[in-house]
Amino acid sequence: MKFNKVLIANRGEIAVRIAQACQKMGLASVAVYSEADAGALHTQVADEAVLIGPAAARLSYLNIPAVLAAAQASGAQAVHPGYGFLAENAEFAQAILDAGLVWVGPPPAAMRAMGDKASARERMLQAGVPVLPGYQGPDSTGELEAAAAALGYPLLVKAAAGGGGVGQRVVHAAAELPEAIAAARREAASAFGDERLMLEKYLATARHVEVQVLGDQHGKLLHLFERECSLQRRRQKIVEETPSPLIDGALREAMCAAATAAAAAVDYTNAGTVEFLVDPATGEFYFLEMNTRLQVEHPVTELTTGIDIVEWQLRIAAGEPLTVQQAHVRQHGHAIECRIYAEDPSAGFLPQAGEVLRLQWPLAARVDAGIAEGSQVSVHYDPMLAKLSVHADDRQSAITAMQAALADTVLLGVINNIDFLQAVLADPQMAFGDFDTQTIERAFAAWQPPLLPPEALLAAAALELQPTEGPPSAADPYSPWATASGFRMGRGGVL
Amino acid sequence: MKFYYSHRGQTHSIEVQAQGDRLRATVDGETVEALVRQGQSLQLTLAGQPMDIAWAKDGRTIWLHVAGHSYQLERVAGGRAGSTAGSAERSLRAPMPGQVRKVLVEPGQPVAAGSVLVLLEAMKMEVRISAGQDAKVAHIAVSEGQSVDKDQLLVELEPTDGG
């Protein structure tokens, strides 16, 4: 290959995932870490680890000179950015290329074209990719007011440079518009240093369906089908699956074709995801944005297509051609992913911190984890701890398998959303595949964790009475579970 | 022996007697008998049904994984449930580790129920610490810019007359 050592400019589960892909391919991997992440799992899985700065992300994981220096000092010849942090930062990609290193991602020009919402919209219109009715152009308040009147309400005022919901306002009536424009402009100016605004029709209920694409540097561009990502809280996905239960064959075909057209319009290479909104009332779909990087939920696509997306990212970056033909990319069965977050779903999904005291992963699931027993979960970064993914013949079997996997996961010491995910999967709306991006907030706002069962009190009292050191109590030889030979006491017990 | 545990703001009690590996307990007025085994996990057998319970302990906090769900219990002293509930309302603590962004009140200041006293920032989120009832600010335990741990005292309130 063109390189044999890869620096992973990320942390958590995705850094672990990329390090494992490197191992599989015989490539050396270099992790970077902040002071808060000393000893973190990703630093142990990679072959080397380089300290790049203090806990604050802007001084470490977002610090371009520090990451670049780590790459050069470690002798890495390629940089994989993962997702989040610098992954969609075109200046970072350019800096990597300018330093003579290989960027494991799309060309900076494609990243810029898709990063600017107004220019992306323009290009999609030219490429014949459906976009929501909207307006981009001269954006004085007067011009926006005139455009809004023509467009109708409700609409979304959106920062042209933005992303992630920053600089966005939903407007239901003309009277609210001037205030929304002023607020969005302020936010956009401070977040992106660019106060340009655009307008888009607002879909109150919509489904979020995205298409994975993969392009090599020799002009071949594939789609790897869609992922259904409508189950979200605070605009963050928590359950993803493929195939989407919400679209039929004709819609799937149209969306996948639109996704490859969108990627081709910006000369895209490497892995990327084209996000669409689907209007459940009309079945129409609209381009939302393109994520010019690896996506969190890529495992469900890997499980159903058998294609290792991270491995292909590295191969493509090394200049290798895609060996798969589009006609041979098939989906087999159904896959579901659940994201495990350190958060309290009964208290507004408030992020949680602490030490992972006990951890036991289910055997019958793919686990992408950024934590191990003893890991410290800090307040400095995204609270996602791990992802569970299951693959089964059909959707109902996959739901059942995921429920079992969640129930079998022991994660003690940090409050998390595992009980909440179980409730979501057990909901009839999930079984019918009938949900949209607002379902979680509507249906689970008053969710409370299960009540304390008497067995828990009994167990707590039993632990108080047991000596913390010493032999097990007299075994009943006739009991089927009297095989406690691996007796271990101390800070905790594992299932 | 009688033990008290707090779970999500509610205090539960359990009275137990141990005889070898047998446990007789009274939970919520009902008597149950269980067989206890300590192996890799705690094994309870109730009415012939064995159950594996993974656990972890951190000081007075006990974490348990029972039948697919996790529970966090706090061992508390008995018979003081009423007074702890009262003091919880008066002592406002950090719900999570973070940084104090703003202190919006001063000592001695009367505050209405729901008014925001302190803004915390953690994991890029703003968390508002508000008064649960009409009260007066007795003491402010933190200053702006300070880092705080989970459960660290932020503000003490005292009830206002007639409140």
Side-chain angles (χ1 to χ4, degrees):
Chain A
M1 267 177 94
K2 204 170 156 187
F3 49 80
N4 54 35
K5 195 173 197 179
V6 180
L7 180 123
I8 303 160
N10 217 298
R11 64 178 301 282
E13 68 85 17
I14 198 60
V16 172
R17 163 78 181 94
I18 296 162
Q20 285 167 343
C22 288
Q23 254 158 34
K24 179 183 161 194
M25 298 170 70
L27 300 170
S29 57
V30 182
V32 294
Y33 66 100
S34 72
E35 283 164 7
D37 275 341
L41 186 60
H42 76 280
T43 67
Q44 297 174 23
V45 174
D47 298 312
E48 292 169 42
V50 181
L51 176 66
I52 50 166
R58 73 189 159 81
L59 300 174
S60 48
Y61 297 107
L62 289 172
N63 182 344
I64 294 177
V67 176
L68 192 56
Q72 288 169 324
S74 65
Q77 305 109 334
V79 174
H80 194 309
Y83 55 70
F85 294 122
L86 294 169
E88 291 184 275
N89 186 314
E91 277 97 85
F92 178 58
Q94 194 58 56
I96 296 299
L97 295 170
D98 290 347
L101 305 175
V102 174
W103 168 248
V104 185
M111 296 168 73
R112 283 197 193 94
M114 285 301 189
D116 186 281
K117 301 289 168 252
S119 99
R121 203 183 135 79
E122 192 79 57
R123 291 213 190 205
M124 293 306 105
L125 278 167
Q126 283 164 14
V129 176
V131 297
L132 279 163
Y135 170 80
Q136 75 275 14
D139 69 340
S140 71
T141 302
E143 281 155 331
L144 288 174
E145 278 174 339
L151 204 55
Y153 294 89
L155 56 79
L156 201 59
V157 178
K158 235 175 155 175
V166 179
Q168 277 191 24
R169 287 288 184 285
V170 180
V171 183
H172 295 279
E176 301 167 12
L177 189 62
E179 169 65 35
I181 289 173
R185 229 191 264 289
R186 271 197 309 273
E187 261 181 46
S190 86
F192 313 115
D194 180 344
E195 57 170 39
R196 286 175 304 130
L197 298 178
M198 54 187 272
L199 303 176
E200 242 173 34
K201 191 109 188 99
Y202 176 69
L203 290 180
T205 56
R207 288 160 179 169
H208 181 124
V209 181
E210 62 188 27
V211 176
Q212 175 74 52
V213 298
L214 201 53
D216 67 17
Q217 296 177 16
H218 309 278
K220 186 187 262 183
L221 191 58
L222 302 175
H223 73 76
L224 306 184
F225 297 102
E226 84 286 5
R227 289 184 291 258
E228 166 60 51
C229 307
S230 294
L231 289 169
Q232 309 182 351
R233 55 111 187 91
R234 287 190 163 175
R235 293 175 199 254
Q236 280 264 26
K237 303 159 188 172
I238 56 170
V239 181
E240 298 103 336
E241 61 183 304
T242 186
S244 167
L246 307 174
I247 64 175
D248 61 17
L251 186 54
R252 173 170 298 117
E253 209 170 296
M255 291 179 77
C256 292
T260 43
V266 295
D267 299 319
Y268 200 85
T269 65
N270 216 289
T273 295
V274 183
E275 299 194 328
F276 296 103
L277 288 178
V278 181
D279 185 342
T282 62
E284 297 288 318
F285 68 92
Y286 306 97
F287 172 85
L288 181 63
E289 63 180 10
M290 181 167 188
N291 294 322
T292 54
R293 54 166 167 84
L294 181 64
Q295 202 91 334
V296 175
E297 57 273 22
H298 73 276
V300 292
T301 301
E302 294 185 327
L303 288 171
T304 48
T305 62
I307 292 173
D308 186 326
I309 295 172
V310 177
E311 181 177 336
W312 272 109
Q313 283 194 290
L314 292 160
R315 290 194 183 286
I316 288 167
E320 290 187 25
L322 278 163
T323 50
V324 192
Q325 308 301 320
Q326 183 69 67
H328 297 145
V329 180
R330 297 267 165 75
Q331 279 188 305
H332 301 279
H334 198 98
I336 300 180
E337 174 190 275
C338 281
R339 300 189 188 188
I340 297 177
Y341 283 95
E343 65 183 18
D344 186 350
S346 65
F349 300 100
L350 210 59
Q352 303 290 314
E355 183 186 341
V356 179
L357 299 173
R358 271 291 161 254
L359 184 61
Q360 175 93 16
W361 295 117
L363 296 175
R366 167 173 167 171
V367 179
D368 290 81
I371 51 163
E373 221 169 76
S375 286
Q376 292 290 337
V377 177
S378 78
V379 296
H380 303 291
Y381 314 109
D382 184 89
M384 196 178 81
L385 302 176
K387 309 178 302 205
L388 296 184
S389 310
V390 297
H391 186 206
D393 288 342
D394 55 62
R395 185 167 187 273
Q396 191 47 56
S397 310
I399 292 175
T400 306
M402 181 55 86
Q403 284 174 309
L406 288 166
D408 286 347
T409 301
V410 176
L411 201 176
L412 303 180
V414 182
I415 291 173
N416 59 69
N417 67 337
I418 295 175
D419 289 335
F420 182 76
L421 289 166
Q422 292 187 60
V424 170
L425 285 179
D427 195 84
Q429 287 182 93
M430 181 71 190
F432 296 134
D434 171 22
F435 44 78
D436 58 56
T437 51
Q438 314 276 311
T439 297
I440 297 257
E441 271 150 40
R442 259 195 327 260
F444 292 94
W447 179 82
Q448 288 296 314
L451 293 174
L452 191 70
E455 291 86 351
L457 278 179
L458 212 50
L463 289 169
E464 308 284 358
L465 294 173
Q466 295 276 326
T468 49
E469 216 77 50
S473 46
D476 172 358
Y478 302 105
S479 160
W481 34 265
T483 51
S485 53
F487 181 71
R488 196 176 79 188
M489 296 286 294
R491 215 158 166 213
V494 285
L495 192 70
Chain B
M1 284 190 79
K2 198 162 185 178
F3 298 106
Y4 294 87
Y5 295 98
S6 148
H7 174 250
R8 302 185 56 80
Q10 243 187 311
T11 303
H12 302 262
S13 69
I14 177 167
E15 196 159 4
V16 280
Q17 284 175 307
Q19 258 187 339
D21 56 1
R22 280 174 205 280
L23 208 62
R24 178 194 282 269
T26 311
V27 187
D28 299 331
E30 236 177 279
T31 300
V32 286
E33 269 193 66
L35 192 61
V36 183
R37 280 289 150 67
Q38 255 300 356
Q40 288 276 299
S41 61
L42 185 75
Q43 294 172 313
L44 284 185
T45 303
L46 281 128
Q49 288 292 321
M51 181 183 253
D52 283 335
I53 296 174
W55 59 276
K57 249 176 142 172
D58 188 11
R60 302 181 79 82
T61 306
I62 301 173
W63 299 79
L64 298 160
H65 187 259
V66 183
H69 298 287
S70 296
Y71 305 91
Q72 182 190 7
L73 304 183
E74 206 79 38
R75 170 114 183 255
V76 293
R80 292 182 47 219
S83 65
T84 47
S87 78
E89 284 169 18
R90 268 178 259 165
S91 304
L92 297 168
R93 292 170 187 279
M96 57 199 285
Q99 207 179 28
V100 178
R101 265 189 54 187
K102 263 200 165 69
V103 176
L104 300 157
V105 290
E106 286 172 9
Q109 186 180 330
V111 291
S115 57
V116 181
L117 311 177
V118 173
L119 288 181
L120 285 184
E121 190 179 80
M123 294 187 180
K124 297 182 216 155
M125 283 189 20
E126 193 177 86
V127 182
R128 293 154 173 237
I129 308 298
S130 322
Q133 70 219 39
D134 291 351
K136 198 165 93 174
V137 177
H139 173 61
I140 294 170
V142 291
S143 52
E144 288 181 10
Q146 184 181 337
S147 290
V148 291
D149 291 329
K150 182 173 159 55
D151 292 330
Q152 187 171 334
L153 181 67
L154 304 173
V155 177
E156 295 249 38
L157 298 178
E158 59 187 54
T160 40
D161 298 336

